[in-house]
Amino acid sequence: MAGGGNNGEMNPFISYVDLFSSVILVLLLFVLIMFVNVGYYMQFDAKKDSAQQTETVKQSKQEVKEEVADGNTISKKNIQTSAAEFREAEMLVVFKDNEYFLTKDIIRSVSTAMSKTLKGRPGATFVISVGDSKKIISSTQTKQVSLGRVLSLKNALETTPAFKDKIKVDYKQPQKSGFEFGYIKIDVR
């Protein structure tokens, strides 16, 4: 501690060295606590990411591999399972995962069903609405996924000249979707 002068008086101020060492120790304690908290919460994110990667790996292992023998040549065809299904009777795409984009097979099925509808009703327009996933924690990310889904489907369908200017997007969310990973509904008007 700081000492006094010649006549035995005590200096009321802490010496700069003592003050500086106390501040450094407090800052080190703060940094240590911060690192422990960050490490603790990163474990949960790592477990969640690991679980999602495991699920993705399981889906990719579900690929059906066929070997076709043509004389001396053997080739493999990979058929990947879809993360969504199209229900033509209801004009509904139901997602089975938090996937953003639809496979080409699903888009082709939707396009075929819409073409059939246009043959019966040439003046028909299509309104695409989307239901949010209940499996995404962040509401902001949920809205981004839903918007990405509906716009990617709309853009993919509008590459067909028959659907140009016949597709509208309804951004209003229904009260209850009933599907945990969300859906896309196509209404004919």
Side-chain angles (χ1 to χ4, degrees), residues 27-77:
L27 287 176
L28 284 175
L29 180 64
F30 174 75
V31 169
L32 178 66
I33 291 172
M34 184 182 69
F35 280 136
V36 168
N37 283 334
V38 168
Y40 179 74
Y41 288 113
M42 284 180 64
Q43 288 177 349
F44 292 117
D45 286 343
K47 286 180 184 177
K48 186 171 79 172
D49 290 342
S50 175
Q52 287 176 349
Q53 288 175 352
T54 303
E55 189 173 317
T56 304
V57 169
K58 285 180 184 177
Q59 284 180 349
S60 61
K61 284 185 179 178
Q62 291 176 350
E63 295 176 342
V64 178
K65 295 183 180 178
E66 296 175 3
E67 292 187 13
V68 180
D70 294 334
N72 295 335
T73 308
I74 295 179
S75 62
K76 291 184 179 182
K77 292 182 180 178

Side-chain angles (χ1 to χ4, degrees), residues 79-125:
I79 303 170
Q80 193 171 10
T81 58
S82 178
E85 72 174 286
F86 177 63
R87 300 178 183 176
E88 186 174 350
E90 302 147 347
M91 294 292 279
L92 190 69
V93 177
V94 178
F95 288 90
K96 298 177 183 176
D97 193 2
N98 283 327
E99 185 66 34
Y100 290 2
F101 302 106
L102 295 170
T103 61
K104 291 180 181 180
D105 293 335
I106 299 290
I107 294 172
R108 190 176 308 116
S109 299
V110 171
S111 178
T112 303
M114 289 173 63
S115 295
K116 288 179 189 176
T117 303
L118 276 180
K119 286 180 183 176
R121 295 174 50 188
T125 58

Side-chain angles (χ1 to χ4, degrees), residues 169-182:
V169 176
D170 183 12
Y171 295 105
K172 293 180 184 177
Q173 291 289 318
Q175 296 298 328
K176 293 183 181 178
S177 69
F179 302 102
E180 63 182 345
F181 290 107

